[in-house]
């Protein structure tokens, strides 16, 4: 393999640049030409592709976001769009792809491989940590620490005013950010999509805490909880305990930004190098991941379809430590 291309796609995550840097430097080390595709699949379709060198990725390991930009492409979902993308790659003689992103990115890569057989290795870049085949995804640790910093600050004002705060973190289908930031922030309750927590249980848990003279309460809510988002849950609780001063904070996209943590920089670097060296070893249609501190490769099919359950010990911890 003499020429490969790399891109970032879908939602950005802290550490994508570190992953990109490692893949580019790894390719150069092994004598492979590497090209950067701007704006994900849209850029692939439009031919927004440039040759990269060591200087292209200098001074980016500490930067959040992605220097290659990102996008979600509707055109790539069509056969016509994918044919345009293939033509752009073949015009440059590109023989392999590295895709950094989440399940949507890998779904597109799988379909593209099925149609055109261009070997592709993915690196899991998503703050949700919801991909099967890796213990942690790029950006997850930074997002948890961002959420934790916000929870700590909100705890100060909640305690000053004897308030109940519902804090919403990202996690449409996954409660990983919620459970870890909730435990780290000493939340009284964590609500996640993977477990069912009724409004009755929420009120009961909070009232038990107030009976023990707790002066403030924090409930961390993953945005995809079955009872609704933080605003909706707060409204339901307010109807039952109208006397309580209830506030809602939605952390939103601040969880995606910022300089990546040391853990994310190292993880991303391992996965970026693992992706380029995986291509060299003949890996294709797979995601590079780290399980039990070992580099592994999992098929795109498994990474996007198999369930990655929450650690039940962490769920148990929330209940025990809220006493």
């Amino acid at each position: 393999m003499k020429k490969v291309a790399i891109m970032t796609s879908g939602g950005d995550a802290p550490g994508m640049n570190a992953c990109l840097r490692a893949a580019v430097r790894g390719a150069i080390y092994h004598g492979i030409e590497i090209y950067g595709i701007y704006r994900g699949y849209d850029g692939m379709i439009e031919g927004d592709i440039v040759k990269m060198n060591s200087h292209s990725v200098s001074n980016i390991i500490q930067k959040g976001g992605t220097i290659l930009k990102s996008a979600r492409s509707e055109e790539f979902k069509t056969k016509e769009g994918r044919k345009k993308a293939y033509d752009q790659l073949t015009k440059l003689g590109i023989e392999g792809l590295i895709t950094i992103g989440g399940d949507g990115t890998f779904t597109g890569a799988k379909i593209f491989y099925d149609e055109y057989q261009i070997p592709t290795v993915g690196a899991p870049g998503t703050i949700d940590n919801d991909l099967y085949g890796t213990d942690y995804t790029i950006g997850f640790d930074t997002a948890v620490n961002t959420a934790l910093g916000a929870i700590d600050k909100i705890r100060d004002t909640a305690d000053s005013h004897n308030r109940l705060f519902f804090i919403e973190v990202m996690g449409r289908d996954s409660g990983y950010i919620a459970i870890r930031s909730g435990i780290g922030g000493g939340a009284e309750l964590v609500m996640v999509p993977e477990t069912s927590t009724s409004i009755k249980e929420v009120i009961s848990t909070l009232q038990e805490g107030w009976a023990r003279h707790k002066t403030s309460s924090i409930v961390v809510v993953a945005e995809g909880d079955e009872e609704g988002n933080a605003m909706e849950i707060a409204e339901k609780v307010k109807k039952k305990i109208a006397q309580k001063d209830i506030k809602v904070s939605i952390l939103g996209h601040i969880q995606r930004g910022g300089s990546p943590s040391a853990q994310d920089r190292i993880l991303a670097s391992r996965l970026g190098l693992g992706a380029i060296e995986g291509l060299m070893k003949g890996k294709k249609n797979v995601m590079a991941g780290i399980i039990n501190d070992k580099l592994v490769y999992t098929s795109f099919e498994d990474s996007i379809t198999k369930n990655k359950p929450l650690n039940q010990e962490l769920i148990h911890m929330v209940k025990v430590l809220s006493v």
Side-chain angles (χ1 to χ4, degrees), residues 258-269:
S259 181
S261 65
Q263 181 170 320
D264 269 329
R265 296 182 198 193
I266 295 165
L267 172 67
S269 297

Side-chain angles (χ1 to χ4, degrees), residues 192-267:
V192 295
E194 292 89 342
T195 62
S196 179
T197 306
S198 68
I199 296 299
K200 184 178 179 181
E201 290 176 85
V202 173
I203 294 170
S204 174
T205 300
L206 293 171
Q207 288 177 333
E208 287 172 9
W210 298 330
R212 293 190 298 271
H213 305 292
K214 285 196 173 188
T215 57
S216 64
S217 298
I218 298 286
V219 178
V220 176
V221 181
E223 61 183 328
D225 187 77
E226 77 283 352
E227 286 287 354
N229 58 34
M231 193 69 73
E232 292 167 339
I233 291 170
E235 287 295 325
K236 292 176 183 178
V237 172
K238 186 70 174 176
K239 291 177 181 178
K240 302 292 184 181
I241 45 175
Q243 75 281 5
K244 198 68 181 177
D245 190 3
I246 298 176
K247 301 293 182 183
V248 176
S249 286
I250 300 172
L251 302 188
H253 285 76
I254 67 166
Q255 295 160 91
R256 282 192 184 170
S259 181
S261 65
Q263 181 170 320
D264 269 329
R265 296 182 198 193
I266 295 165
L267 172 67

Side-chain angles (χ1 to χ4, degrees), residues 57 97 99 124 130 185 192 203-204 249 290:
V57 292
L97 282 173
T99 56
D130 57 350
V192 295
I203 294 170
S204 174
S249 286
I290 302 292

Side-chain angles (χ1 to χ4, degrees), residues 116-163:
Y116 297 105
Q117 288 75 55
I118 293 180
T120 304
V121 177
T126 168
I127 66 171
D128 288 341
N129 198 37
D130 57 350
L131 290 170
Y132 178 88
T134 188
D135 289 337
Y136 300 106
T137 58
I138 297 166
F140 170 66
D141 184 69
T142 306
V144 169
N145 281 290
T146 297
L148 184 58
I151 291 168
D152 286 346
K153 291 177 174 66
I154 290 169
R155 172 76 70 180
D156 290 342
T157 189
D159 193 48
S160 296
H161 295 274
N162 291 346
R163 282 174 174 159

Side-chain angles (χ1 to χ4, degrees), residues 8 30 32 55 78 90 99 101 242-243 280 282 285 294 311:
T8 53
H30 289 293
I32 298 172
H55 181 70
T78 69
T90 54
T99 56
Q243 75 281 5
M280 293 173 60
N285 210 25
K294 302 288 186 183
N311 186 329

Side-chain angles (χ1 to χ4, degrees), residues 107-126:
T107 298
K110 179 184 179 301
I111 295 170
F112 195 58
Y113 174 80
D114 290 342
E115 291 177 347
Y116 297 105
Q117 288 75 55
I118 293 180
T120 304
V121 177
T126 168

Side-chain angles (χ1 to χ4, degrees), residues 6-141:
I6 186 169
M7 61 175 234
T8 53
S9 178
D12 61 310
M16 279 185 164
N17 282 327
C19 185
L20 168 65
R21 172 183 178 270
V24 170
R25 295 270 171 95
I28 293 168
Y29 177 85
H30 289 293
I32 298 172
E33 287 186 33
I34 186 163
Y35 291 75
I37 302 171
Y38 283 92
R39 297 178 293 108
Y41 290 119
D42 273 347
M44 191 187 296
I45 290 169
E46 296 169 16
D48 195 0
I49 305 170
V50 298
K51 188 175 180 181
M52 304 193 80
N53 55 36
S54 185
H55 181 70
S56 303
V57 292
S58 295
N59 196 33
I60 68 169
I61 194 170
Q62 79 282 8
K63 292 182 178 179
T66 162
I67 64 166
L68 288 181
K69 310 302 181 186
S70 188
R72 290 184 169 89
S73 176
E74 291 301 316
E75 189 175 2
F76 193 79
K77 294 178 181 179
T78 69
K79 284 190 175 183
E80 294 77 14
R82 294 191 293 273
K83 178 62 166 60
K84 290 179 185 177
Y86 175 73
D87 290 343
Q88 296 287 4
L89 296 182
T90 54
K91 187 164 58 178
L92 293 170
I94 290 169
E95 304 165 274
L97 282 173
I98 296 171
T99 56
I100 307 171
D103 56 357
T105 300
F106 297 159
T107 298
K110 179 184 179 301
I111 295 170
F112 195 58
Y113 174 80
D114 290 342
E115 291 177 347
Y116 297 105
Q117 288 75 55
I118 293 180
T120 304
V121 177
T126 168
I127 66 171
D128 288 341
N129 198 37
D130 57 350
L131 290 170
Y132 178 88
T134 188
D135 289 337
Y136 300 106
T137 58
I138 297 166
F140 170 66
D141 184 69

